[in-house]
Amino acid sequence: MWNNKKAIVMEEIIFLVLNAIFFIVLLVFIVSSVNGKAVLEQKYAKQIALLIDEAKPKTIIYLDMRDAIEKATDKKNAVKINEQENKVIVKLSSGRGYVFNYFNDVGINYRLDGNNLFLEIKEKENV
Amino acid sequence: MFKMRGKKAGEKWLSIWWFFVLVVILTGIVVGVSIFSASEINVKKLEADILATKVIDCLINDGKINEEFLKGSLDIFKECKIDKEIITKKTATDEGKYYIALEAYKLEDCEVKDDKQECKNSLVNGYNFGIGDFVNQCKIAEVMKEAKNYPFCSEKYVYVLSGEEKLILHVFAGSNQRGGKEVV
């Protein structure tokens, strides 16, 4: 009698633990996917390119990228701007980065200042 | 269903069907979230709007249009600080990402029909760069619910002065830039 009750309690515990594991895994997956590096790479590459497109020379922009920089594998090289090819590259994990072009023909000084991206838009120097 | 030591409570919950349901839910949510994560943030309309506004800003000063533009001798890429290569670039794998077209009309050559500006006899020619088919593709994209491979466009009509004469400047810009992952 006592053994039977113990077995039922054990079954209930196993059931609850398995269900809890299932929902925790599901929640972790959803949160990590929605705030994932892939989404952030795309979001910031496009945002930076559009900011550059809209900016006029002598504009200075500080962009708060805390959520992305905190997740970056290589924090110092999370953002790169290729002036020759007019490309913004945001790379938060090792491997491939997200690339987006801008069309504004301007010169750009940029650096990551902690969690902020500093952008200085200037006249393009003629080569 | 399989029995666990003949206990009804256990039989009710610890069944293979319960976990089958969980797996189905899990698969559905994983597929849904994956589709969401892989979906594109569409900024084509915004980009086309910025391009059109940038051209208007540089061609008009205090309501007066740049006369060189009307003569047809203006290099809009140089004047508006727009990278010509990016706008007109076409490769074997890349059909081109942008289109920009400029026209100018006398005020009397334009009329509004069904809330739409219609003009004829453009005073300038040759100011169109990039993929001309964007004009048609954008019309299709506007009526389609799902048009992620189509360009989005921005069309603006601006009243301007050329000396004492009143003109209408028509700017049509389109973008089909999607961006993407690259080895860098």
Side-chain angles (χ1 to χ4, degrees):
Chain A
M1 185 71 176
W2 176 249
N3 278 344
N4 276 349
K5 278 185 181 172
K6 208 174 163 185
I8 291 169
V9 171
M10 274 304 288
E11 282 168 14
E12 293 296 325
I13 289 169
I14 291 167
F15 166 75
L16 288 173
V17 168
L18 285 175
N19 278 282
I21 290 170
F22 170 83
F23 285 109
I24 288 166
V25 167
L26 194 62
L27 205 67
V28 168
F29 170 77
I30 292 170
V31 170
S32 64
S33 296
V34 172
N35 296 317
K37 289 179 180 178
V39 176
L40 288 170
E41 279 177 350
Q42 188 183 166
K43 173 188 153 185
Y44 281 111
K46 289 183 175 178
Q47 195 172 355
I48 294 164
L50 292 181
L51 281 170
I52 294 170
D53 280 338
E54 206 159 18
K56 289 181 176 168
K58 297 180 185 170
T59 304
I60 289 172
I61 300 163
Y62 267 99
L63 180 65
D64 185 357
M65 292 182 65
R66 185 179 303 271
D67 51 351
I69 301 299
E70 280 172 355
K71 287 178 182 163
T73 312
D74 182 0
K75 291 186 181 5
K76 283 183 183 173
N77 295 309
V79 179
K80 282 182 184 171
I81 296 172
N82 183 336
E83 264 188 64
Q84 272 73 47
E85 295 179 46
N86 288 37
K87 280 180 176 176
V88 176
I89 304 150
V90 179
K91 191 177 164 187
L92 302 180
S93 48
S94 52
R96 301 187 304 165
Y98 199 93
V99 179
F100 202 75
N101 284 105
Y102 59 90
F103 54 74
N104 203 358
D105 199 15
V106 288
I108 299 160
N109 277 338
Y110 73 98
R111 66 169 190 273
L112 274 167
D113 200 357
N115 290 323
N116 294 318
L117 174 70
F118 168 83
L119 285 169
E120 183 189 3
I121 313 296
K122 54 183 186 169
E123 297 280 355
K124 198 164 197 172
E125 289 161 18
N126 291 322
V127 183
Chain B
M1 300 263 250
F2 61 92
K3 287 188 176 182
M4 295 286 289
R5 300 180 195 188
K7 303 297 176 296
K8 284 188 177 174
E11 183 182 86
K12 189 179 174 186
W13 297 109
L14 270 178
S15 71
I16 199 158
W17 291 110
W18 172 251
F19 286 101
F20 175 73
V21 168
L22 288 189
V23 168
V24 169
I25 294 170
L26 184 73
T27 311
I29 292 175
V30 167
V31 170
V33 172
S34 301
I35 290 169
F36 170 76
S37 299
S39 67
E40 187 189 321
I41 303 167
N42 193 341
V43 294
K44 292 173 189 173
K45 175 82 182 161
L46 214 55
E47 212 184 1
D49 220 35
I50 292 171
L51 183 57
T53 307
K54 194 172 171 61
V55 172
I56 289 168
D57 275 354
C58 85
L59 287 182
I60 303 169
N61 190 16
D62 285 337
K64 289 180 179 167
I65 195 155
N66 187 326
E67 295 297 329
E68 292 296 313
F69 168 72
L70 294 176
K71 286 176 193 166
S73 57
L74 187 74
D75 181 348
I76 66 151
F77 294 103
K78 202 174 171 187
E79 185 71 21
C80 302
K81 294 185 175 63
I82 295 169
D83 196 299
K84 188 174 183 177
E85 209 189 313
I86 292 287
I87 301 292
T88 58
K89 192 167 74 179
K90 232 179 179 183
T91 63
T93 52
D94 186 358
E95 290 178 345
K97 295 169 184 165
Y98 297 98
Y99 177 63
I100 181 137
L102 305 164
E103 289 164 334
Y105 301 94
K106 287 182 179 174
L107 192 62
E108 57 267 26
D109 288 339
C110 294
E111 57 181 338
V112 180
K113 275 184 187 171
D114 300 327
D115 284 338
K116 214 181 160 198
Q117 188 85 263
E118 282 185 15
C119 301
K120 55 188 177 185
N121 306 325
S122 177
L123 300 170
V124 291
N125 286 308
Y127 286 111
N128 42 24
F129 310 93
I131 312 299
D133 195 40
F134 277 13
V135 179
N136 298 320
Q137 291 183 35
C138 283
K139 282 177 190 163
I140 297 168
E142 270 178 31
V143 293
M144 281 170 72
K145 278 185 181 174
E146 189 78 24
K148 64 177 183 180
N149 294 320
Y150 280 76
F152 281 77
C153 299
S154 173
E155 191 172 23
K156 293 177 192 289
Y157 290 88
V158 186
Y159 290 89
V160 290
L161 287 171
S162 169
E164 295 298 309
E165 195 176 16
K166 291 172 185 168
L167 303 177
I168 287 183
L169 175 68
H170 174 219
V171 179
F172 186 96
S175 165
N176 197 17
Q177 186 185 189
R178 298 183 67 185
K181 288 267 200 177
E182 280 181 25
V183 179
V184 283

